[in-house]
Amino acid sequence: MEFGETFFWFVLIGLAAQLVDGALGMAYGLVSSSVLLGMGLPPAQVSASIHAAEVFTTGASGASHIALGNVDRRLFLRLAIPGVVGGVIGAYVLTQLPGDLIRPFVYLYLLVLAVLILVRASGRMVPRREVRRVPVLGFFAGLLDASGGGGWGPLATSTLLAGGGQARTVIGSVNAAEFVVTLAVSITFFLSIGIEHLQIVLGLLVGGMIAAPVAALLVSRVREKWVLVAVGLLVLCISLYQIGHALARFL
């Protein structure tokens, strides 16, 4: 497959991922990593490429939420600071492990996130209660996000909303904090392994920018429940297939 053709495939992946992310407020990294890992790319390079592209998309999203007054400063800091620590650790660990060793765990992680999304779509969340350990949530969300190439939004946003947080400030604060975490993770990857697959970064970035206004229209027309169900089933099928494929190689 030549560079031009490969690039346009990555544009389509970024386009689809941003459409989902714009409709849900999450899952850009989840969808992108699922597809890229399915293409056989190394987990570290997948996560590095996605985070490099997300620096721009999360920056624009965070700035918009700040301008609209959707960011709770205290919640932002409690998420961002431990999120950076977790993200840097996750990125460093991922670059030190062989791709074949970490890949099955990444698929298991994606499987868990798929189930989380489907549970959210069904409306069967845990009883509403205040989330007291927000820094711990931020740390693990950053750790898993760097390790899997996605997961900050599904883990942080879903947990805070299930705990009774106000949707406007939760989504705004999580998106703003995501920019800081993504920037830290991207710098860690760059210093550790560099950015080898520039066509992936540029493709995801271009696709994401094209899809952004379309996603804004989509979110006002499609019920969130059905989008959640579609994403959950898609990632569930991809992760189960890849886990089955990995197990078959060892049996």
Side-chain angles (χ1 to χ4, degrees), residues 186-241:
S186 297
I187 292 173
T188 303
F189 276 126
F190 180 76
L191 295 176
S192 301
I193 59 177
I195 304 295
E196 297 181 9
H197 300 284
L198 289 179
Q199 70 272 29
I200 299 178
V201 177
L202 293 175
L204 294 176
L205 176 59
V206 170
M209 292 299 185
I210 294 173
V214 180
L217 177 63
L218 182 65
V219 71
S220 65
R221 299 294 180 88
V222 180
R223 290 182 60 188
E224 184 185 59
K225 175 181 179 180
W226 298 117
V227 181
L228 283 168
V229 170
V231 175
L233 290 176
L234 172 63
V235 179
L236 182 67
C237 291
I238 292 174
S239 56
L240 285 176
Y241 172 80

Side-chain angles (χ1 to χ4, degrees), residues 11-70:
V11 170
L12 290 176
I13 294 171
L15 186 94
Q18 184 59 44
L19 284 174
V20 173
D21 192 80
L24 302 180
M26 64 178 72
Y28 182 90
L30 180 62
V31 174
S32 299
S33 61
S34 296
V35 178
L36 294 176
L37 286 170
M39 296 172 65
L41 295 171
Q45 287 296 335
V46 166
S47 190
S49 300
I50 291 172
H51 281 90
E54 278 191 309
V55 167
F56 298 92
T57 57
T58 57
S61 177
S64 299
H65 282 294
I66 291 174
L68 293 172
N70 295 338

Side-chain angles (χ1 to χ4, degrees), residues 37-223:
L37 286 170
M39 296 172 65
L41 295 171
Q45 287 296 335
V46 166
S47 190
S49 300
I50 291 172
H51 281 90
E54 278 191 309
V55 167
F56 298 92
T57 57
T58 57
S61 177
S64 299
H65 282 294
I66 291 174
L68 293 172
N70 295 338
V71 176
D72 181 321
R73 182 178 178 182
R74 182 170 179 269
L75 179 59
F76 165 79
L77 292 174
R78 294 175 74 197
L79 284 171
I81 295 174
V84 166
V85 176
V88 169
I89 293 175
Y92 179 77
V93 170
L94 189 61
T95 61
Q96 304 304 309
L97 296 175
D100 291 338
L101 177 63
I102 193 65
R103 199 187 307 269
F105 295 99
V106 175
Y107 286 130
L108 286 173
Y109 161 62
L110 294 176
L111 177 62
V112 171
L113 287 183
V115 173
L116 175 66
I117 292 174
L118 290 173
V119 169
R120 181 185 174 193
S122 71
R124 297 188 179 121
M125 298 299 294
V126 296
R128 288 183 174 274
R129 61 182 184 277
E130 182 182 358
V131 178
R132 298 180 179 179
R133 296 181 176 85
V134 174
V136 176
L137 172 64
F139 174 81
F140 281 103
L143 182 70
L144 294 178
D145 188 79
S147 300
W152 172 267
L155 184 58
T157 303
S158 296
T159 302
L160 291 170
L161 289 178
Q166 184 181 11
R168 179 177 65 86
T169 55
V170 164
I171 294 173
S173 302
V174 169
N175 273 272
E178 185 178 16
F179 167 70
V180 180
V181 175
T182 299
L183 182 61
V185 171
S186 297
I187 292 173
T188 303
F189 276 126
F190 180 76
L191 295 176
S192 301
I193 59 177
I195 304 295
E196 297 181 9
H197 300 284
L198 289 179
Q199 70 272 29
I200 299 178
V201 177
L202 293 175
L204 294 176
L205 176 59
V206 170
M209 292 299 185
I210 294 173
V214 180
L217 177 63
L218 182 65
V219 71
S220 65
R221 299 294 180 88
V222 180
R223 290 182 60 188

